[in-house]
Amino acid sequence: MAEAERIIGTPDTPGAAGAGRQRPGGDAAPGGPSGAEGTQAPAGGPGTGGTAAGRDGTSGTPAGADGRGSAAERPRGRRRIAVLFTVAVIAYALDLASKMLVVAKLEHRPPIRLIGDWLQLEAIRNAGAAFGFGEAFTVIFTVIAAAVIVVIARLARKLYSLPWAIALGLLLGGALGNLTDRLFRAPGVFEGAVVDFISPKHFAVFNLADSAIVCGGILIVLLSFRGLDPDGTVHKD
């Protein structure tokens, strides 16, 4: 019987042999691993493959290093470009429609008084620049208008400022409106006379394209005084 009890009480496996060992604190560790099997490698240490975040490649990557930072900026830039062209299309469409209406209904007819002698509608053909200046330089003004359009198109690539988008859209729409007259109205290509019809008292006759150009220019001056660049950066003195 004593031999049988000894055999039954003797563990058959190495893991079972450590089942009754005491931890340094005095607590039993039944079934727990012992020796080298119970040693854990430090997190992120050699041979462990790093932390979980490090293993999947998302940890330790600087912001924007994989292009996410620039990708976050691009949609904002596209929205500003959309504003620029939307404003330009609206300004151009209003100018073109008003000129077509004036030529059809008002040209070669008496002026229409809106506010007594202070404001009236009078159709005239202007071979010069805005407000009738420089009639001897029609071709030069045509080239300038085309150059303005090219410059605005180049600025649009780095446009992140909403006020600048509105200002450049007004300039673009106005320049396109008057350039259309230069190209397609008499007396010929690059020399066409612009249709003007808004006639305030003691002031030159102008059109909606001229108004858009002036408003856009004033807005650009104000933005420059405030130190705001087309890319959205602000310069503070």
Side-chain angles (χ1 to χ4, degrees):
M1 290 294 292
E3 184 65 19
E5 290 176 0
R6 186 184 65 81
I7 294 174
I8 294 174
T10 301
D12 294 332
T13 62
R21 294 182 182 177
Q22 297 291 327
R23 291 180 180 172
D27 297 331
S34 62
E37 295 177 2
T39 304
Q40 295 293 332
T48 63
T51 61
R55 284 194 296 271
D56 61 12
T58 60
S59 176
T61 302
D66 58 353
R68 292 192 182 97
S70 59
E73 296 295 331
R74 284 194 292 270
R76 190 163 65 100
R78 284 196 293 270
R79 286 195 296 270
R80 301 305 183 263
I81 294 174
V83 170
L84 186 155
F85 286 110
T86 299
V87 173
V89 168
I90 293 174
Y92 177 74
L94 290 176
D95 178 70
L96 184 62
S98 64
K99 289 174 179 176
M100 294 175 63
L101 185 62
V102 165
V103 170
K105 302 295 184 180
L106 190 59
E107 199 168 33
H108 309 303
R109 291 180 174 84
I112 298 176
R113 294 185 177 183
L114 297 179
I115 307 177
D117 293 334
W118 291 98
L119 180 64
Q120 59 185 8
L121 300 179
E122 179 183 7
I124 67 168
R125 297 293 181 112
N126 172 24
F131 308 111
F133 299 113
E135 295 186 3
F137 304 99
T138 305
V139 176
I140 295 177
F141 292 133
T142 304
V143 174
I144 292 174
V148 168
I149 294 171
V150 173
V151 170
I152 293 174
R154 292 178 63 88
L155 283 175
R157 296 182 300 176
K158 57 179 182 179
L159 185 62
Y160 287 84
S161 169
L162 179 60
W164 269 95
I166 296 173
L168 293 177
L170 290 172
L171 283 179
L172 180 59
L176 285 172
N178 284 338
L179 182 62
T180 300
D181 286 355
R182 304 287 188 197
L183 294 177
F184 298 107
R185 295 193 187 277
V189 178
F190 295 111
E191 297 181 352
V194 175
V195 176
D196 290 335
F197 58 92
I198 303 174
S199 178
K201 187 176 182 179
H202 305 307
F203 197 75
V205 184
F206 59 96
N207 55 40
L208 295 183
D210 297 333
S211 301
I213 292 172
V214 171
C215 292
I218 292 174
L219 183 54
I220 287 175
V221 172
L222 294 176
L223 294 174
S224 299
F225 273 117
R226 293 186 59 185
L228 180 62
D229 288 343
D231 61 0
T233 58
V234 179
H235 299 282
K236 295 182 179 180
D237 297 332

